[in-house]
Amino acid sequence: MERAHKVRLEVDYNQVAVFSSGLANPFNDWEERHVAQGFAWRPESVSFRTLESGPHLIDVVITEHADALGPGVIRAVEVPFEVPHNGRIEIASISESAEFRLSPGKYLLRSEMFGCPDGVAFARLVFARSEIPRFSILVADKETSRDGPLLKPAR
């Protein structure tokens, strides 16, 4: 079964965060290596580096299996993500957020960044329930580095 939602966010500081609702400090501190790899992760929160700041349309997909990447992906990253027992998570920028309910448990969370058709950046967040959680840079753009080990976790 697959569900999809659309979220419009005004993205600040080139980051979109996904975190457990109610988390006291939901945003992660970025070190240089986090910026280079395109994400800053800790067990209840992950921040993904977007291609730019400004208006974003984000497709949120909840599925059993992460499909192959579609055409046009400029940057793609996968990280483990655990949805808390209450099932409440938020997708947020610094200035606004949207809350969702998912089945509690472990997920593979994939961030896919696309271009800016019509002046609005497009991104997709895929929550794959039955995948084996892993850290991976699937597609690197000119601002993303695959050199060296991935830095995890963040503060």
Side-chain angles (χ1 to χ4, degrees):
M1 181 176 108
E2 187 170 295
R3 292 183 296 153
H5 306 276
K6 292 197 182 296
V7 176
R8 289 189 74 89
L9 285 179
E10 185 67 28
V11 171
D12 305 305
Y13 302 104
N14 288 56
Q15 71 172 317
V16 169
V18 179
F19 51 86
S20 299
S21 288
L23 190 61
N25 296 303
F27 295 99
N28 296 313
D29 290 334
W30 291 75
E31 295 181 23
E32 273 187 52
R33 182 70 193 135
H34 291 125
V35 173
Q37 68 191 22
F39 70 93
W41 176 92
R42 57 192 165 112
E44 294 181 89
S45 174
V46 60
S47 297
F48 295 107
R49 189 166 143 232
T50 61
L51 300 176
E52 59 186 66
S53 291
H56 278 65
L57 178 61
I58 302 169
D59 278 348
V60 180
V61 178
I62 300 106
T63 185
E64 291 297 315
H65 302 284
D67 292 332
L69 293 170
V73 174
I74 296 171
R75 181 185 300 152
V77 173
E78 292 178 334
V79 297
F81 188 80
E82 189 161 352
V83 173
H85 293 294
N86 65 12
R88 293 175 46 224
I89 65 160
E90 291 183 50
I91 297 170
S93 66
I94 299 296
S95 58
E96 57 186 338
S97 71
E99 187 173 300
F100 292 90
R101 286 193 182 271
L102 277 71
S103 297
K106 295 182 180 187
Y107 289 80
L108 173 72
L109 175 54
R110 179 191 292 165
S111 165
E112 300 173 5
M113 300 293 164
F114 297 84
C116 300
D118 303 321
V120 176
F122 177 65
R124 181 179 299 125
L125 296 173
V126 178
F127 291 83
R129 179 66 184 221
S130 66
E131 299 290 330
I132 297 170
R134 61 187 167 270
F135 292 91
S136 181
I137 298 172
L138 300 174
V139 178
D141 63 338
K142 63 181 172 38
E143 295 181 11
T144 307
S145 173
R146 292 183 181 183
D147 296 338
L150 296 175
L151 178 58
K152 46 192 187 225
R155 294 179 290 119

